[in-house]
Amino acid sequence: CNKCGYLCTECDKYLHLSRKSKAHQRQVFKAAEASVVINKHENMCRVKLYWMTAAVDTQTRRAVIEFKNTYSTQPDAFICRFCNEAGEPSPEGGSICKNEECNSKFKVSCKQTLECGHACGGNAGETSCLPCLKNCSGNLKQDADDMCVICFTESLGCAPCVQLSCGHILHSQCISTVVENRWIGPRITFNFLHCPICKGLLEHEYLDNMLRDLLVLMEDVKKKSVMRLKYDGLSFDTEEEAIENAMNKYAYYQCYKCKKAYFGGEAQCQADAGDDFDPKDLVCGGCSNLSQEVCPKHGTDYLEYKCRYCCSVAVYFCFGTTHFCTPCHDDFVRLRSLSKDSLPQCPVGPKATQLE
């Protein structure tokens, strides 16, 4: 109704029975607009109405409801392509409003128009455009109304996106932030280098510069982990199984000085380590080589030191003089206060605990 606003069938019937309102001009919505559309895209269950979209991630159980203001009393009202709000168009063009956030997104977005007539939802400078997020081709696994599975605050159509080699689409800014932040805590892990939906390895020209050094580091950790596995006398049927088990079994850290990965013991021994650490304390055996010893075959790449206070492999090198394993590093204040006579004799467990 032009005067009463949007109404359901029942409300319209009762409100316009009276003489005062029965002459109001009303317009019945098209069947496609008035109907409820329910579908599932890539673990995302979605309920769409013409004025609202509700999405639920079936794996994380996160949900979001987005109310849309795309319908105006004026049929020719301008609608921003990013925020989906009616308003004045920006002098920059590109079907965006004057909102500062929308303009900043437009500056880094692709300015091309696709064959279907819709604006490209990709990034500026890419060699090929992102397929139409309106799914005009009908081949996309996701569309503009799907939520970004990383931020889960905006739909894919609200910001420039990338389509990974696996076919999944994510906000460009969201996935680049994940890659820049890398792993959580001191131990090197590479889960962030995989698609959050299918776990395939990240691959896209937009991310190439950020991924280059990280992929080299990952190959180095794989090589050293498998070498450590063979050194421990463990074997598996396939190379893939050996790599997977070695990466899960051993903990590697990135040296603050040379940026190379170095061995820090088994992963289960580091399970209780917190995320509060100083990256400057992570120094490999080669960079903390106080005795200046060098292997004639491998140089300093595989040098390892024992913890000063126990028999575990050292992870941290602090104060320019002292090697620590993770448990002893967490208790270094007490350990450094111990006199030489009160220290236990080998074999010694973490936190200077005497072993039988």
Side-chain angles (χ1 to χ4, degrees), residues 218-228 252 302:
M218 183 170 66
E219 291 304 316
D220 184 43
V221 172
K222 285 182 180 180
K223 176 185 175 182
K224 291 178 177 178
S225 298
V226 173
M227 185 181 296
R228 172 67 57 174
Y252 279 82
Y302 296 94

Side-chain angles (χ1 to χ4, degrees), residues 12 24 99 120 133 141 163 182 223 253 270 272 316 350 355:
D12 173 72
H24 288 181
N99 182 280
C120 174
L133 289 178
K141 296 180 179 181
Q163 185 180 33
R182 309 198 300 176
K223 176 185 175 182
Y253 302 83
Q270 323 295 328
D272 296 330
Y316 298 92
L355 299 178

